[in-house]
Amino acid sequence: MTADKIDGRASAKALKEIVAADVAALENAGVHCGLATVMVGSDYGSVEYERRLRRVSGQLGVGYRHIFLAANAAQDMVIRVVLSLNADPSVDGILVLRPLPEHIDEGEVFQALDPVKDIESVHPFNAGLLALGTPRFVPSTPAAVFHLLDGYLDSVGEDRDAFYRGTTIAVVGRSNNVGKPVASLGHNRQAVVLSCDEWASRTGRLAELTRRADVLVVAAGVAGLITGEHVKDGAIVLDVGINPWTDPQSGEVHMVGDVEPASVSAKARALTPVPGGVGPVTDVWLMRNTAAAATMAAGLGS
Ligand code: NAD
């Protein structure tokens, strides 16, 4: 078997048209929506992500502000920045890029966010709504995973509801911003969800668990973690990971995912590439959530 490629760039392009129409409708109503990102230090994945968001916001006409703080910035300083963005009427959505440096308690920073501007649903109030199945904002990466999955099922003529009910979804990675919300969205679709973190690997159980999955979502941040031996024949695999890989010959740094593409393609039915899979859809979804936050703030929409 050679896996179908789930093309995130094509999917993002189509989604962009929808979001551009939302942004244009807001402009017509006199509302200019704006996103602010906050980055502390220069993590590889965060730098890549911020660069993409800057470009996509420009393409869609979404206002964009980026605040960079040095890796040794004090927690109080980070919280002060968040509070100032909460109070800024030109900012509708705030993204605090992860990971934050170790001396910063990310929970404290996320609790400082105004929940109506918390477009990634990391504030406990919004995380609770998401876990209850009534999200205010569906966080962008988990939303992108299911958007791509839904699109793939549509493309092969499979009924989504029938597919999800009772299907086994394994999620590798259990972070608050990716792994857990992916698991919640799986629960909301009546899937059986296996949630694995690094202890599944340390106890030697990872392959045994992932091989049960009809859908395997990988978000661990470990290059090449998932190989063909982790994948059931015919599974759909979504690779969220973003990792730097240095070409030993040229010394150039490339982006790779958590999935080893050659061996997984030989087993899976479909696979998202890295780059060009989950990432581009994530970017556009964040703009969609920013437009949704602006719509709510302006008292527009239903
Ligand atoms: P994180 O570090 O917060 O969490 C990683 C999770 O993976 C943890 O639960 C950890 O226990 C688990 N894990 C680590 N090693 C493991 C192993 N060997 N086996 C099983 N589980 C393991 O990371 P995150 O923010 O959730 O991001 C995960 C990856 O996804 C990173 O590479 C990040 O850059 C990428 N990411 C991509 C996008 C995108 O749009 N494509 C968005 C967000 C994050």
Side-chain angles (χ1 to χ4, degrees), residues 56-106:
V56 176
S57 59
Q59 291 167 346
L60 289 171
V62 172
Y64 186 74
R65 266 183 78 187
H66 175 58
I67 294 162
F68 172 77
L69 297 170
N72 63 358
Q75 179 166 311
D76 281 358
M77 163 74 99
V78 181
I79 289 177
R80 274 204 303 276
V81 165
V82 168
L83 294 177
S84 74
L85 294 171
N86 286 346
D88 183 339
S90 72
V91 172
D92 298 290
I94 305 170
L95 170 69
V96 179
L97 288 147
R98 295 180 67 252
L100 291 168
E102 276 187 7
H103 66 278
I104 294 179
D105 179 341
E106 70 173 30

Coordinates of all heavy atoms in Angstrom, one line a residue, residues 56-106:
V56 N 0.2 34.7 6.8 CA -1.2 34.4 6.5 C -2.1 35.6 6.9 O -3.1 35.9 6.2 CB -1.6 33.1 7.2 CG1 -3.1 32.8 7.0 CG2 -0.8 31.9 6.6
S57 N -1.8 36.2 8.0 CA -2.6 37.3 8.5 C -2.6 38.4 7.4 O -3.6 39.1 7.1 CB -2.2 37.9 9.9 OG -0.8 38.3 9.8
G58 N -1.4 38.7 6.9 CA -1.2 39.7 5.8 C -2.1 39.3 4.6 O -2.8 40.2 4.0
Q59 N -2.1 38.0 4.2 CA -2.9 37.6 3.1 C -4.3 37.8 3.3 O -5.1 38.1 2.4 CB -2.6 36.1 2.8 CG -1.2 35.8 2.3 CD -0.9 34.3 2.3 OE1 -1.5 33.5 2.9 NE2 0.2 34.0 1.6
L60 N -4.8 37.6 4.5 CA -6.2 37.6 4.8 C -6.7 39.0 5.3 O -7.9 39.2 5.6 CB -6.6 36.6 5.8 CG -6.5 35.1 5.3 CD1 -6.7 34.1 6.4 CD2 -7.6 34.9 4.2
G61 N -5.8 39.9 5.5 CA -6.2 41.3 5.9 C -6.5 41.3 7.4 O -7.3 42.2 7.9
V62 N -6.0 40.4 8.2 CA -6.2 40.4 9.6 C -5.0 41.2 10.2 O -3.8 41.0 9.9 CB -6.1 38.9 10.2 CG1 -6.1 38.9 11.7 CG2 -7.3 38.1 9.6
G63 N -5.3 42.2 11.1 CA -4.3 42.9 11.8 C -3.4 42.0 12.6 O -3.8 41.0 13.1
Y64 N -2.1 42.3 12.6 CA -1.2 41.4 13.3 C -0.1 42.2 14.1 O 0.5 43.2 13.6 CB -0.4 40.6 12.2 CG 0.5 39.5 12.8 CD1 -0.1 38.4 13.4 CD2 1.8 39.7 12.9 CE1 0.7 37.4 14.0 CE2 2.7 38.7 13.4 CZ 2.1 37.6 14.0 OH 2.9 36.6 14.6
R65 N 0.0 41.8 15.4 CA 1.1 42.3 16.2 C 1.8 41.2 16.8 O 1.2 40.2 17.3 CB 0.4 43.1 17.4 CG 0.3 44.6 17.1 CD -0.3 45.2 18.4 NE 0.7 45.4 19.4 CZ 0.4 45.8 20.6 NH1 -0.9 46.1 21.0 NH2 1.3 46.0 21.5
H66 N 3.2 41.3 16.8 CA 4.0 40.2 17.5 C 4.8 40.9 18.6 O 5.5 41.9 18.3 CB 4.9 39.6 16.4 CG 5.8 38.6 17.0 ND1 5.3 37.5 17.7 CD2 7.1 38.5 17.0 CE1 6.3 36.8 18.2 NE2 7.4 37.3 17.8
I67 N 4.7 40.2 19.7 CA 5.6 40.7 20.8 C 6.6 39.6 21.2 O 6.2 38.5 21.6 CB 4.7 41.1 22.0 CG1 3.9 42.3 21.6 CG2 5.5 41.5 23.3 CD1 2.7 42.6 22.4
F68 N 7.8 40.0 21.1 CA 8.9 39.0 21.4 C 9.6 39.4 22.7 O 9.9 40.6 22.8 CB 9.9 39.0 20.2 CG 11.1 38.2 20.6 CD1 11.1 36.8 20.5 CD2 12.3 38.7 21.0 CE1 12.2 36.0 20.9 CE2 13.4 38.0 21.4 CZ 13.3 36.6 21.3
L69 N 9.7 38.5 23.6 CA 10.4 38.7 24.8 C 11.6 37.7 24.9 O 11.5 36.6 24.5 CB 9.5 38.5 26.0 CG 8.2 39.4 26.1 CD1 7.3 38.9 27.2 CD2 8.7 40.8 26.4
A70 N 12.7 38.2 25.5 CA 13.9 37.4 25.6 C 13.6 36.2 26.5 O 12.6 36.2 27.3 CB 15.0 38.2 26.2
A71 N 14.3 35.1 26.3 CA 14.1 33.8 27.0 C 14.1 34.0 28.5 O 13.5 33.2 29.3 CB 15.0 32.8 26.5
N72 N 14.9 35.0 29.0 CA 15.0 35.2 30.4 C 14.0 36.2 31.0 O 14.1 36.7 32.1 CB 16.4 35.6 30.8 CG 16.8 36.9 30.2 OD1 16.0 37.5 29.5 ND2 18.0 37.4 30.5
A73 N 13.0 36.6 30.2 CA 12.0 37.5 30.7 C 11.2 37.0 31.9 O 10.9 35.8 32.0 CB 10.9 37.8 29.6
A74 N 11.0 37.8 32.9 CA 10.3 37.4 34.1 C 8.8 37.1 33.8 O 8.2 37.7 32.9 CB 10.4 38.5 35.2
Q75 N 8.3 36.2 34.6 CA 6.9 35.8 34.5 C 6.0 37.0 34.6 O 5.0 37.2 33.8 CB 6.5 34.8 35.5 CG 5.1 34.3 35.4 CD 4.8 33.1 36.2 OE1 5.5 32.1 36.1 NE2 3.8 33.1 37.1
D76 N 6.3 37.9 35.5 CA 5.5 39.1 35.7 C 5.4 40.0 34.4 O 4.4 40.5 34.1 CB 6.1 40.0 36.8 CG 5.7 39.5 38.2 OD1 5.0 38.5 38.2 OD2 6.2 40.1 39.2
M77 N 6.5 40.0 33.8 CA 6.6 40.8 32.5 C 5.7 40.2 31.4 O 5.0 40.9 30.8 CB 8.1 40.8 32.0 CG 8.3 41.2 30.6 SD 8.0 43.0 30.4 CE 9.7 43.5 30.4
V78 N 5.7 38.8 31.3 CA 4.9 38.2 30.3 C 3.4 38.4 30.7 O 2.6 38.7 29.8 CB 5.2 36.6 30.3 CG1 4.4 35.9 29.3 CG2 6.7 36.4 30.1
I79 N 3.1 38.3 31.9 CA 1.7 38.5 32.3 C 1.3 40.0 32.1 O 0.2 40.3 31.6 CB 1.5 38.1 33.8 CG1 1.5 36.6 33.9 CG2 0.1 38.6 34.3 CD1 1.4 36.0 35.2
R80 N 2.2 40.9 32.3 CA 1.9 42.3 32.0 C 1.6 42.5 30.5 O 0.7 43.3 30.2 CB 3.0 43.3 32.5 CG 2.9 43.7 33.9 CD 3.6 45.0 34.2 NE 5.0 44.9 33.9 CZ 6.0 44.5 34.6 NH1 5.7 43.9 35.8 NH2 7.3 44.5 34.2
V81 N 2.3 41.9 29.7 CA 2.1 42.0 28.2 C 0.7 41.4 27.9 O -0.1 42.0 27.1 CB 3.2 41.2 27.5 CG1 2.8 41.0 26.0 CG2 4.5 41.9 27.5
V82 N 0.4 40.3 28.5 CA -1.0 39.7 28.2 C -2.1 40.6 28.7 O -3.0 40.9 27.9 CB -1.1 38.3 28.9 CG1 -2.5 37.8 28.9 CG2 -0.1 37.3 28.3
L83 N -1.9 41.2 29.8 CA -2.9 42.1 30.4 C -3.1 43.4 29.5 O -4.2 43.9 29.2 CB -2.6 42.6 31.8 CG -2.6 41.4 32.8 CD1 -2.2 41.9 34.2 CD2 -4.0 40.8 32.9
S84 N -2.0 43.8 28.9 CA -2.0 45.0 28.0 C -2.8 44.7 26.7 O -3.5 45.5 26.2 CB -0.7 45.6 27.8 OG 0.1 44.8 26.9
L85 N -2.6 43.4 26.2 CA -3.3 43.0 25.0 C -4.8 42.8 25.3 O -5.6 43.1 24.5 CB -2.6 41.7 24.5 CG -1.2 41.9 23.9 CD1 -0.6 40.6 23.6 CD2 -1.1 42.8 22.7
N86 N -5.1 42.3 26.5 CA -6.5 42.1 26.9 C -7.2 43.5 26.8 O -8.4 43.6 26.4 CB -6.6 41.7 28.4 CG -6.3 40.3 28.6 OD1 -6.2 39.5 27.6 ND2 -6.1 39.9 29.8
A87 N -6.5 44.6 27.2 CA -7.1 45.9 27.2 C -7.0 46.6 25.9 O -7.6 47.7 25.7 CB -6.4 46.7 28.3
D88 N -6.4 46.0 24.9 CA -6.2 46.7 23.6 C -7.3 46.4 22.7 O -7.5 45.3 22.2 CB -4.8 46.3 23.0 CG -4.5 47.0 21.7 OD1 -5.4 47.5 21.1 OD2 -3.3 46.9 21.3
P89 N -8.2 47.4 22.3 CA -9.3 47.1 21.5 C -9.0 46.7 20.1 O -9.8 46.2 19.4 CB -10.1 48.5 21.5 CG -9.1 49.5 21.9 CD -8.1 48.8 22.7
S90 N -7.7 47.0 19.6 CA -7.4 46.5 18.3 C -7.0 45.0 18.2 O -6.8 44.5 17.1 CB -6.2 47.4 17.7 OG -5.0 47.0 18.4
V91 N -7.0 44.4 19.4 CA -6.6 43.0 19.4 C -7.9 42.2 19.8 O -8.4 42.4 20.9 CB -5.5 42.8 20.5 CG1 -5.2 41.3 20.7 CG2 -4.2 43.5 20.1
D92 N -8.2 41.3 18.9 CA -9.4 40.4 19.2 C -9.0 39.0 19.7 O -9.7 38.4 20.4 CB -10.2 40.2 17.9 CG -10.8 41.5 17.4 OD1 -11.7 42.1 18.1 OD2 -10.3 42.1 16.4
G93 N -7.8 38.5 19.2 CA -7.4 37.2 19.6 C -5.9 37.3 20.0 O -5.1 38.0 19.4
I94 N -5.6 36.5 21.1 CA -4.2 36.5 21.6 C -3.7 35.0 21.6 O -4.4 34.1 22.1 CB -4.1 37.0 23.1 CG1 -4.8 38.4 23.2 CG2 -2.7 37.0 23.6 CD1 -5.0 38.9 24.6
L95 N -2.5 34.9 21.0 CA -1.9 33.5 21.1 C -0.6 33.7 21.8 O 0.3 34.4 21.4 CB -1.6 33.1 19.6 CG -0.7 31.8 19.5 CD1 -1.4 30.6 20.0 CD2 -0.3 31.6 18.1
V96 N -0.4 33.0 22.9 CA 0.9 32.9 23.6 C 1.5 31.6 23.1 O 1.0 30.5 23.3 CB 0.7 32.8 25.1 CG1 2.0 32.7 25.8 CG2 -0.1 34.1 25.6
L97 N 2.6 31.8 22.4 CA 3.3 30.6 21.8 C 3.9 29.7 22.8 O 4.6 30.2 23.8 CB 4.3 31.1 20.7 CG 3.6 31.7 19.5 CD1 4.5 32.8 18.9 CD2 3.4 30.6 18.4
R98 N 3.8 28.4 22.7 CA 4.5 27.5 23.5 C 5.6 26.8 22.8 O 5.6 26.8 21.6 CB 3.5 26.4 23.9 CG 2.3 26.9 24.8 CD 1.4 25.7 25.1 NE 2.0 24.7 26.0 CZ 2.4 23.5 25.6 NH1 2.2 23.1 24.3 NH2 2.9 22.7 26.4
P99 N 6.6 26.3 23.4 CA 6.8 26.2 24.9 C 7.3 27.5 25.4 O 8.0 28.2 24.7 CB 7.8 25.1 25.1 CG 8.6 25.1 23.8 CD 7.7 25.5 22.7
L100 N 6.8 27.8 26.7 CA 7.4 28.9 27.4 C 8.7 28.4 28.2 O 8.7 27.2 28.5 CB 6.4 29.5 28.4 CG 5.2 30.2 27.7 CD1 4.1 30.4 28.7 CD2 5.6 31.5 27.1
P101 N 9.6 29.3 28.4 CA 10.8 28.8 29.2 C 10.4 28.2 30.5 O 9.3 28.5 31.1 CB 11.6 30.1 29.4 CG 11.1 31.0 28.3 CD 9.7 30.7 28.1
E102 N 11.3 27.4 31.0 CA 10.9 26.6 32.2 C 10.6 27.4 33.5 O 9.8 27.0 34.3 CB 12.0 25.6 32.5 CG 11.9 24.3 31.7 CD 12.8 23.2 32.1 OE1 13.5 23.4 33.1 OE2 12.8 22.2 31.3
H103 N 11.2 28.6 33.6 CA 11.0 29.4 34.8 C 9.6 30.0 34.8 O 9.2 30.6 35.8 CB 12.0 30.4 35.0 CG 12.0 31.5 33.9 ND1 12.6 31.4 32.7 CD2 11.5 32.7 33.9 CE1 12.4 32.4 32.0 NE2 11.7 33.3 32.7
I104 N 8.8 29.9 33.7 CA 7.5 30.5 33.6 C 6.4 29.4 33.8 O 6.5 28.4 33.1 CB 7.3 31.2 32.3 CG1 8.3 32.4 32.3 CG2 5.9 31.7 32.1 CD1 8.3 33.2 31.0
D105 N 5.5 29.7 34.7 CA 4.3 28.8 34.9 C 3.3 29.1 33.8 O 2.6 30.1 33.9 CB 3.8 29.0 36.3 CG 2.6 28.1 36.6 OD1 1.9 27.6 35.7 OD2 2.3 28.0 37.8
E106 N 3.2 28.3 32.8 CA 2.3 28.6 31.7 C 0.8 28.7 32.1 O 0.1 29.5 31.6 CB 2.5 27.7 30.5 CG 2.0 26.3 30.7 CD 2.0 25.5 29.4 OE1 2.8 25.7 28.5 OE2 1.2 24.6 29.3

